Short mmCIF file of all heavy atoms in Angstrom, two decimals:
data_model
loop_
_atom_site.label_atom_id
_atom_site.label_comp_id
_atom_site.label_asym_id
_atom_site.label_seq_id
_atom_site.Cartn_x
_atom_site.Cartn_y
_atom_site.Cartn_z
N HIS A 62 84.37 -1.47 37.73
CA HIS A 62 84.52 -1.27 36.43
C HIS A 62 83.58 -2.09 35.64
O HIS A 62 83.38 -3.37 35.91
CB HIS A 62 86.00 -1.81 35.93
CG HIS A 62 87.10 -1.05 36.68
ND1 HIS A 62 87.47 0.35 36.43
CD2 HIS A 62 87.84 -1.49 37.68
CE1 HIS A 62 88.39 0.60 37.28
NE2 HIS A 62 88.69 -0.37 38.01
N LEU A 63 82.87 -1.49 34.60
CA LEU A 63 81.88 -2.22 33.88
C LEU A 63 82.57 -3.21 32.93
O LEU A 63 83.59 -2.91 32.34
CB LEU A 63 81.04 -1.30 33.03
CG LEU A 63 80.17 -0.27 33.86
CD1 LEU A 63 79.28 0.58 32.83
CD2 LEU A 63 79.19 -1.07 34.74
N SER A 64 82.02 -4.41 33.05
CA SER A 64 82.54 -5.48 32.18
C SER A 64 81.29 -6.40 31.52
O SER A 64 80.49 -6.65 32.26
CB SER A 64 83.41 -6.47 32.93
OG SER A 64 83.83 -7.53 32.14
N PHE A 65 81.43 -6.37 30.18
CA PHE A 65 80.42 -7.07 29.53
C PHE A 65 80.92 -8.48 29.02
O PHE A 65 80.42 -9.04 28.14
CB PHE A 65 79.96 -6.29 28.24
CG PHE A 65 79.35 -4.91 28.60
CD1 PHE A 65 79.99 -3.81 28.70
CD2 PHE A 65 77.94 -4.97 28.78
CE1 PHE A 65 79.43 -2.67 28.96
CE2 PHE A 65 77.23 -3.79 29.06
CZ PHE A 65 78.05 -2.58 29.14
N ASP A 66 81.98 -8.97 29.71
CA ASP A 66 82.48 -10.29 29.41
C ASP A 66 81.48 -11.44 29.59
O ASP A 66 81.42 -12.40 28.73
CB ASP A 66 83.68 -10.53 30.18
CG ASP A 66 84.90 -9.61 29.87
OD1 ASP A 66 84.92 -9.10 28.73
OD2 ASP A 66 85.77 -9.50 30.63
N ALA A 67 80.62 -11.23 30.69
CA ALA A 67 79.59 -12.44 30.77
C ALA A 67 78.62 -12.50 29.68
O ALA A 67 78.30 -13.52 29.21
CB ALA A 67 78.91 -12.14 32.09
N TYR A 68 78.22 -11.24 29.19
CA TYR A 68 77.29 -11.32 28.10
C TYR A 68 77.89 -11.75 26.72
O TYR A 68 77.33 -12.48 25.96
CB TYR A 68 76.65 -9.90 27.87
CG TYR A 68 75.79 -9.53 29.06
CD1 TYR A 68 76.29 -8.78 29.95
CD2 TYR A 68 74.40 -9.78 29.11
CE1 TYR A 68 75.58 -8.34 31.18
CE2 TYR A 68 73.65 -9.40 30.13
CZ TYR A 68 74.18 -8.66 31.18
OH TYR A 68 73.41 -8.28 32.24
N ALA A 69 79.24 -11.44 26.56
CA ALA A 69 79.95 -11.78 25.39
C ALA A 69 80.17 -13.26 25.48
O ALA A 69 80.07 -13.89 24.44
CB ALA A 69 81.33 -11.11 25.32
N ASP A 70 80.44 -13.95 26.60
CA ASP A 70 80.65 -15.30 26.76
C ASP A 70 79.38 -16.15 26.35
O ASP A 70 79.48 -17.10 25.67
CB ASP A 70 81.08 -15.62 28.16
CG ASP A 70 82.52 -15.27 28.40
OD1 ASP A 70 83.27 -14.97 27.41
OD2 ASP A 70 82.92 -15.23 29.64
N ILE A 71 78.16 -15.69 26.92
CA ILE A 71 77.08 -16.48 26.63
C ILE A 71 76.34 -16.20 25.49
O ILE A 71 75.41 -16.97 25.01
CB ILE A 71 76.07 -16.34 27.95
CG1 ILE A 71 75.61 -14.93 27.83
CG2 ILE A 71 76.73 -16.75 29.18
CD1 ILE A 71 74.69 -14.71 29.14
N LEU A 72 76.66 -15.15 24.55
CA LEU A 72 75.88 -14.82 23.43
C LEU A 72 76.87 -15.05 22.23
O LEU A 72 76.53 -14.52 21.16
CB LEU A 72 75.52 -13.41 23.43
CG LEU A 72 74.43 -13.01 24.39
CD1 LEU A 72 74.19 -11.47 24.34
CD2 LEU A 72 73.12 -13.70 24.12
N LYS A 73 77.88 -15.88 22.30
CA LYS A 73 78.76 -16.11 21.21
C LYS A 73 78.39 -17.39 20.46
O LYS A 73 79.12 -17.91 19.69
CB LYS A 73 80.15 -16.25 21.77
CG LYS A 73 80.40 -17.40 22.65
CD LYS A 73 81.92 -17.39 23.01
CE LYS A 73 82.13 -18.55 23.98
NZ LYS A 73 83.56 -18.66 24.31
N GLY A 74 77.14 -17.74 20.54
CA GLY A 74 76.57 -18.84 19.70
C GLY A 74 76.45 -20.20 20.37
O GLY A 74 76.36 -21.21 19.71
N GLY A 75 76.39 -20.33 21.66
CA GLY A 75 76.38 -21.46 22.34
C GLY A 75 74.95 -21.75 22.87
O GLY A 75 73.96 -21.45 22.21
N ILE A 76 74.89 -22.36 24.03
CA ILE A 76 73.59 -22.80 24.56
C ILE A 76 72.62 -21.64 24.86
O ILE A 76 71.48 -21.75 24.37
CB ILE A 76 73.86 -23.50 25.94
CG1 ILE A 76 74.62 -24.84 25.77
CG2 ILE A 76 72.60 -23.79 26.64
CD1 ILE A 76 74.92 -25.49 27.07
N ILE A 77 73.09 -20.48 25.30
CA ILE A 77 72.16 -19.47 25.57
C ILE A 77 71.64 -18.85 24.34
O ILE A 77 70.40 -18.52 24.25
CB ILE A 77 72.80 -18.37 26.43
CG1 ILE A 77 73.41 -18.94 27.79
CG2 ILE A 77 71.94 -17.20 26.76
CD1 ILE A 77 72.40 -19.43 28.66
N THR A 78 72.39 -18.68 23.44
CA THR A 78 71.96 -18.14 22.13
C THR A 78 70.82 -18.96 21.44
O THR A 78 69.86 -18.56 21.01
CB THR A 78 73.20 -18.08 21.12
OG1 THR A 78 74.11 -17.27 21.60
CG2 THR A 78 72.57 -17.39 19.80
N ARG A 79 71.08 -20.38 21.50
CA ARG A 79 69.96 -21.31 21.01
C ARG A 79 68.73 -21.30 21.78
O ARG A 79 67.60 -21.25 21.36
CB ARG A 79 70.60 -22.70 20.95
CG ARG A 79 71.73 -22.93 19.91
CD ARG A 79 71.94 -24.46 19.62
NE ARG A 79 72.25 -25.04 20.94
CZ ARG A 79 73.47 -25.26 21.38
NH1 ARG A 79 74.60 -24.85 20.51
NH2 ARG A 79 73.74 -25.96 22.38
N ALA A 80 68.94 -21.11 23.04
CA ALA A 80 67.72 -21.19 24.13
C ALA A 80 66.98 -19.89 23.88
O ALA A 80 65.75 -19.83 23.90
CB ALA A 80 68.33 -21.26 25.51
N LEU A 81 67.58 -18.72 23.67
CA LEU A 81 66.86 -17.55 23.39
C LEU A 81 66.17 -17.50 22.14
O LEU A 81 64.99 -17.17 21.97
CB LEU A 81 67.94 -16.32 23.40
CG LEU A 81 68.57 -15.80 24.68
CD1 LEU A 81 69.61 -14.82 24.44
CD2 LEU A 81 67.35 -15.23 25.54
N LEU A 82 66.75 -18.14 21.02
CA LEU A 82 66.04 -18.33 19.85
C LEU A 82 64.73 -19.27 19.90
O LEU A 82 63.70 -18.96 19.41
CB LEU A 82 66.98 -18.80 18.76
CG LEU A 82 68.13 -17.82 18.30
CD1 LEU A 82 68.96 -18.50 17.33
CD2 LEU A 82 67.50 -16.52 17.72
N VAL A 83 64.96 -20.34 20.78
CA VAL A 83 63.84 -21.21 20.87
C VAL A 83 62.72 -20.57 21.57
O VAL A 83 61.62 -20.66 21.30
CB VAL A 83 64.39 -22.50 21.69
CG1 VAL A 83 63.22 -23.36 22.09
CG2 VAL A 83 65.33 -23.33 20.83
N SER A 84 63.07 -19.84 22.74
CA SER A 84 62.04 -19.19 23.51
C SER A 84 61.45 -18.07 22.75
O SER A 84 60.11 -17.88 22.77
CB SER A 84 62.62 -18.54 24.85
OG SER A 84 62.99 -19.54 25.72
N ALA A 85 62.20 -17.29 21.84
CA ALA A 85 61.48 -16.30 21.08
C ALA A 85 60.53 -16.92 20.07
O ALA A 85 59.39 -16.34 19.85
CB ALA A 85 62.61 -15.45 20.41
#
Side-chain angles (χ1 to χ4, degrees):
H62 304 285
L63 293 181
S64 173
F65 294 91
D66 292 337
Y68 294 94
D70 285 344
I71 63 181
L72 290 177
K73 62 181 182 180
I76 293 176
I77 301 299
T78 304
R79 292 195 301 269
L81 286 172
L82 293 176
V83 170
S84 290

